[in-house]
């Protein structure tokens, strides 16, 4: 008969085992155990309480778990210690995964830093975050739950200030949307992130308007962002986490996804991510890397969604004249409902003479645009070949070193993708007093595509 196996040694109580450690070894073990275990160890003995209460240890926990580098509460108020700070943050956000809390906190911190440096007028429109009770109240009013990342976004910042009863104030606020927009002809778009109370009100109104048609039955959509000029509406599906933009045919249920579906994980246990969070993070990346920038419109600045960097923005230099060009997809434009015009694109052309206009070895103090030639392609087929004088009724005169002359226009396509290329004819000097022969300036082909992210 086989001998019984020897008894297995029992692991010592965690507190008892740690009591034998000294100095750096003890500090290292507690640090690796994490904040929750450190708090539990503080109850084991007086010695462990002292070790687990060391504020240098909690400084590390705050940095690792929350990316918090000063003992501040969620509203930025100073606290006596990092341990107190960790406790307050846990009380406020302990119902969420801390990696997600850190991620959302960093998003808002980075966006506010960018706005502070580049667009302080818009920074002033951001509202203080809402409470968990306010989130719950909004969910009760809507009749369904919000995705976890969206709830956290609004815990940190309650979107932007809503429309005011005062017309003058609304005129001032209209171009300050943190998402931004574009302008061509009389089509003005500028998208604001809606505050929670506006989300509830506009979502209820949306369902009252469209429920009779049966288009949006059985969907848990909320309106999270809108344009203050021409209508443009962004809707979050709280069931699957996707963010959509309404087309001109929104009343018939036509919406387009704004974020790659493969990235959406609204129920991920560790770090869930929905369309709204991914959309905002991508927008921030474009602001930070200079893909999109602020631009002056009349007397106000706004965030222009026309790309400013390659490959979406192309650039060509001919005889000292520089032409930059890019486009944005505009699904809300009324022309998109016409047959053969499913995709509407706005495009922006920037003309300048950075140093000097030079033709045949001769420098000229100025040059003036006379005509344009556009070739617009859909896939491999030319769908438009246009020649005409001027641009939007203007004949810009360019001189070295002056700011870019910028103009916007639009073109429809039956579908995507497509492209635009062409040239401008310039005259050295002025049209009224030419100083040489006309010359062609190239416009490098720029894409007309259905983007992965729609803003």
């Amino acid at each position: 008969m086989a001998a019984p196996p020897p008894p297995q040694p029992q692991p010592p109580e965690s507190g008892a085992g740690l009591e034998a450690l000294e100095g750096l070894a003890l500090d290292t073990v507690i640090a690796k155990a994490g904040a929750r275990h450190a708090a539990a160890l503080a109850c084991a003995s007086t010695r462990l309480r002292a070790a687990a209460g060391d504020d240098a240890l909690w400084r590390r926990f705050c940095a690792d778990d929350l990316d918090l580098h000063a003992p501040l509460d969620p509203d930025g108020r100073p606290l006596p210690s990092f341990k107190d700070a960790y406790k307050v943050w846990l009380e406020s956000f302990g119902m969420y995964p801390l990696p997600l809390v850190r991620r959302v906190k960093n998003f808002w911190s980075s966006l506010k830093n960018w706005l502070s440096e580049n667009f302080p007028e818009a920074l002033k429109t951001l509202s203080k975050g809402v409470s968990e009770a306010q989130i719950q109240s909004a969910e009760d009013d809507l009749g369904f739950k919000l995705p976890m990342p969206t709830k956290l976004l609004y815990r940190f910042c309650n979107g932007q200030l809503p429309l005011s009863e005062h017309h003058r104030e609304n005129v001032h606020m209209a171009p300050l949307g943190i998402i931004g927009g574009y302008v061509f002809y009389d089509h003005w778009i500028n998208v604001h992130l809606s505050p929670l109370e506006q989300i509830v009100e506009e979502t209820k109104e949306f369902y009252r308007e469209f429920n009779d048609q049966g288009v949006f039955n059985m969907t848990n959509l909320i309106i999270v962002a809108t344009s203050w000029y021409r209508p443009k509406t962004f809707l979050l599906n709280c069931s699957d986490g996707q963010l959509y933009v309404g087309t001109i045919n929104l009343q018939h249920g036509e919406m387009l996804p704004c974020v790659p579906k493969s990235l959406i994980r609204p129920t991920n246990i560790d770090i869930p991510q929905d369309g709204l969070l991914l959309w905002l993070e991508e927008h921030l990346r474009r602001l930070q890397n200079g893909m999109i920038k602020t631009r002056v419109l009349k007397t106000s600045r706004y965030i222009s969604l026309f790309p400013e960097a390659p490959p979406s923005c192309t650039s060509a230099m001919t005889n000292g004249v520089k032409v930059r060009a890019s486009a944005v997809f505009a699904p809300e434009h009324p022309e998109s409902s016409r047959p053969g015009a499913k995709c509407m694109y706005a495009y922006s052309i920037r003309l300048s003479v950075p140093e000097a206009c030079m033709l045949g070895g001769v420098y000229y103090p100025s040059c003036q645009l006379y005509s344009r030639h556009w070739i617009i392609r859909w896939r491999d087929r030319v769908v438009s070949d246009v020649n005409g004088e001027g641009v939007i009724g203007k004949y810009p005169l360019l001189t070295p070193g002056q700011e870019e002359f910028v103009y916007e226009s639009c073109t429809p396509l039956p579908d995507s993708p497509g492209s635009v290329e062409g040239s401008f004819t310039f005259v050295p000097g002025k049209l009224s007093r030419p100083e040489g022969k006309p010359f062609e300036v190239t416009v490098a082909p720029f894409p007309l595509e259905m983007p992965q992210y729609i803003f």
Side-chain angles (χ1 to χ4, degrees), residues 95-96 130-146 151 154-155 196 200:
M95 66 289 295
Y96 299 100
V130 299
S131 67
E132 197 66 25
Q134 288 172 295
I135 294 282
Q136 179 64 58
S137 176
E139 290 178 328
D140 292 343
D141 283 347
L142 292 166
F144 50 82
K145 296 291 186 182
L146 303 179
K151 289 196 280 190
Y154 279 86
R155 285 294 311 276
L196 188 62
V200 173

Side-chain angles (χ1 to χ4, degrees), residues 174-218:
L176 304 182
I178 60 171
I179 305 304
Y182 38 88
V183 179
F184 56 99
Y185 302 122
D186 64 345
H187 192 79
W188 292 32
I189 293 293
N190 198 282
V191 177
H192 293 233
L193 186 66
S194 302
L196 188 62
E197 58 274 21
Q198 182 177 321
I199 288 176
V200 173
E201 292 172 8
E202 291 189 347
T203 298
K204 286 182 173 180
E205 183 179 342
F206 174 81
Y207 276 108
R208 281 194 297 268
E209 182 177 354
F210 294 120
N211 255 1
D212 291 342
Q213 302 176 27
V215 176
F216 295 102
N217 289 348
M218 307 301 292

Side-chain angles (χ1 to χ4, degrees), residues 22 54 200:
E22 297 287 342
D54 184 352
V200 173

